[in-house]
Structures are given as C-alpha cells and as structure tokens.
Amino acid sequence: MAGTDRGDLTRTAILALLGTVGPLSRSEIARELDLSPATVTQLTKELIGHGMLEELDLKPSRGGRPAQRLGLVGSAGRALGVKVTADHLVLVDVRLDGEVLGSWELPHDPAAPDALEHLAAAVESVVQEISGVPPLLGVGVGVPGSVDDQAVGTVNAPTLGWQAMPVGDRLRRRLNLPVLVENDVNALAAAERLYGRGRTHRDFLVVTIGRGVGAAIVADGRVYRGARGGAGEFGHLPVDPEGPPCGCGARGCLEAFVGSAGLLAAARHKETGDGAAASLSPTGTDRSRPDGRDPLGAVAALGRAAAEGDVIACEVFAEAGAILGRATAGLINVVDPEVVVVLGEGTADWPLWRTGFEPALRAQLYPGRRDISVEVESWDDTSWAQGAAALVLATPFDAAGAAGEQGRLVRARLIGAAS
C-alpha cells in the first residue's frame, strides 16, 4: 500500500466515508464514492487484510441476499491528544474509533521560561507509558489561540503569553512522531466531524462557552481556517465599544460579556449582599474551592445559585445568553450552516443560558433560517483533549491532504503497522 497512486487515494476515501458516516455495505460505498463494485470489492478486501476494516452484521434486505456491512477497526491505531490551558495539561489516549483508553492531567505553567520544554517532557512521559498496541499514529495538540498551519504548529496564544511559539517543531524533535497543532475549537470541530453531530452534516458551526467563547466553521466537510489559521475568533466579535475591556486589548468583545470573567463581573455588578454573589469574593473567586482561583469554579457556584432560584444569578445567565444568541444569529446569517453544536464547560448551565439565548437568536435570524437546530452536547474535562486527538485520527480520512506532510506520516504509520 505504499506510494501515492490513485489506489491509495481511493482507499483513503473509503476510510473517510466509513469514518464519518459509520458502517456501510460495499454497494453503499460504491454508490457514495461513484466507484465500480469490482473496485470497492478489491480495495476493501485489501483494507480488511491490513486490519483496517472489519465485516460487521448483515444489513436487513427487503428482498434478495442481505448485504454485509463494513466498519473501521478501532484497534488499528491510536492517537495522543493534548489540551494546553493556562494552568495545566490534559492528555488522552484515543483509539481510531474514538474510544478513550486513558487520560492524564498534569500541572503546567505556559508563562514559565521553560514552558515548551516542560510541555515536551510531559507529552514524552505519556508517550512512553502508552507505547505498544494499538500503534501510536501521532500527537495532536489543541491550544487557545491561532496556529499558522497544523503541520507546522507555530502558535500565537495571548491567553498563554505565547507569541510565535514553535510548538510543533519542538515536539516533533523531542518525540520523533508526527505532531499536529491546531486551535482548540477547530480541533473540537474535527472530532465532531468524525464522531459527533457532524457525521451527518457537511456545513455546521461549533460554538464553545467556558473560560472564553469560540467558534469553528465547517464548510463542505472541512474546517475553515482562514488565511493565517485564525478564523473562528468568535469571542472577539465587537459587541459594545464602550463595554468592559477584553484580554485581547480591545473593549466590549463578546468574550468580555459571556466568558467566565464576564459572567462574574456581571454578578459583582448586580450584587446586593445576598443571593448568588454571596458565594463570590470581591475578585470573583469561588470561596467553595480550596485554591479559590478558578473562574470556572466560581461560575459553577453562580450556576448552583441560579438553579436554586437566586434572582441575580438567573438574570446574569439570561442576559449573557441573550448577548450570545444575538451574536450567534449574526454568524449563522453569514455562513448559513445546517446546524449549530454548542460545547464547552459552560454547557453544564445551558438551561440557564437558553432562557435568554433562544428568543434573542430566533429574533435576529434571517427569514428562512429561524428553524435552525441548536444542539448541545455533553461535556467532560477530557473533551478538549479528545478534540486534539481527532486531529491525528482524522488524517487517514483526509484525501485532500489538509494536514500536509504530517498527515502523510500519520497515514504511513497506520499502513505500516497494519501491514
């Protein structure tokens, strides 16, 4: 299976199809890819022989012989996903079919002089721990900032204090493995395309709420990155030029209103001495947490107060939801997606957001788009890192070669391990 001939591209297309829509029969594969049945039979036989596809159950037939369905073999490969945050790293070991095999959380200070060396050492320690079967195809890294190119991996992330940080190059030299680096929300979109709602949609939006606010635009099945890899900075959409300062240096960005710090600032502004804000210190930290420094912990306290009926807390979420709804409507009107998927730590309180979000969104949508579905998915602490792993796991399904040379190396490792 070496080389880059037409056969290799067709094999990749078959893997891509099964990876994004799930198990199919040979005749369905032929129809979807406009291939002859003989070609599909020959290539799938090779892929089964290489341990990348397997025969599953028989598909019920309305008449005639039932069709055998084919699916990906999850044990054909694995990837390590790494999420870099402002104070720690989350790493997950994920199989080709999306099953999580293990997870790790490690302290990390991105502002330290040796931050990149520490990151490389932390990833290397986990790589050594998980070596074996299934084979490790590569490492994906998700960061809260812009990335020039997945295969290069130079990062600009103001929230981490990183400017032109050569993350990809440093990790590749340390690990001797393929490494792909991407904005963390774009990485989530890649995971959605493989394993989530995006499997049945070619045009969709991913909106994230948590410490910040982000978006990823998937158009015709591909994540739109923009000219410099910075597309999707939804949190820095201007909302009010007289509004509160944002971490980017501007004033009144969306994130300044609906990110975790914005929610806490609104709660302090409304504080009357009792109710929701009673659990928050004057600096917006959460007294219920031993360290008292986590803004997400403080927002969780605000959410608990709202769930218990605190008027101030309910107003904070409803008003933030309305701001987010109007901004999301504008984005929908511009890019015309089939569906919007909402992710992030903030989804734990989505019923509180929805009170303001839904009416504001529908009121601002262009006629004909007001029935668009907004789907909220479950979330846990490893979700960001699973998105990063999907950067690697998606490359065998990427006939267009968006991951560049690193993608080619990932595919070579997959094929070599299966041979």
Side-chain angles (χ1 to χ4, degrees), residues 91-95 97-104 380 382 386:
L91 303 93
V92 293
D93 177 15
V94 184
R95 290 198 336 171
D97 59 0
E99 180 183 347
V100 176
L101 301 175
S103 63
W104 299 260
D380 63 38
T382 65
Q386 290 177 50

Side-chain angles (χ1 to χ4, degrees), residues 3-211:
T4 57
D5 61 14
R6 178 67 180 174
D8 282 346
L9 294 178
T10 306
R11 293 182 190 93
T12 301
I14 292 172
L15 292 175
L17 180 64
L18 297 176
T20 54
V21 306
L24 295 172
S25 68
R26 291 173 176 82
S27 61
E28 288 171 324
I29 294 171
R31 183 168 58 251
E32 290 291 328
L33 297 179
D34 194 22
L35 297 172
S36 72
T39 297
V40 171
T41 297
Q42 176 61 34
L43 294 180
T44 55
K45 179 180 179 180
E46 294 177 13
L47 290 169
I48 290 171
H50 284 288
M52 299 166 72
L53 296 183
E54 61 183 341
E55 292 186 327
L56 304 174
D57 56 311
L58 295 175
K59 183 177 180 179
S61 173
R62 296 180 179 177
R65 183 179 178 183
Q68 186 87 53
R69 297 198 307 170
L70 302 177
L72 294 177
V73 176
S75 59
R78 73 206 302 181
L80 183 66
V82 184
K83 161 64 174 174
V84 182
T85 80
D87 55 16
H88 68 283
L89 304 172
V90 180
L91 303 93
V92 293
D93 177 15
V94 184
R95 290 198 336 171
L96 185 62
D97 59 0
E99 180 183 347
V100 176
L101 301 175
S103 63
W104 299 260
E105 183 171 325
L106 304 172
H108 181 64
D109 179 8
D114 62 344
L116 199 50
E117 181 63 26
H118 180 270
L119 170 63
V123 176
E124 183 180 42
S125 68
V126 175
V127 166
Q128 292 173 346
E129 182 177 341
I130 67 173
S131 60
V133 179
L136 182 60
L137 304 180
V139 176
V141 182
V143 295
S146 63
V147 180
D148 59 343
D149 182 284
Q150 285 186 12
V152 177
T154 301
V155 176
N156 291 304
T159 59
L160 302 179
W162 288 2
Q163 180 68 31
M165 187 70 83
V167 175
D169 179 68
R170 182 67 190 88
L171 289 180
R172 280 189 288 273
R173 286 191 286 113
R174 178 70 175 255
L175 304 174
N176 195 30
L177 285 169
V179 176
L180 293 166
V181 186
E182 181 59 284
N183 169 268
D184 49 12
V185 185
N186 285 348
L188 285 179
E192 279 297 305
R193 186 75 179 101
L194 276 182
Y195 309 117
R197 308 293 174 94
R199 290 176 69 156
T200 56
H201 299 285
R202 294 189 62 79
D203 296 270
F204 62 94
L205 285 176
V206 172
V207 173
T208 60
I209 50 174
R211 284 186 175 86

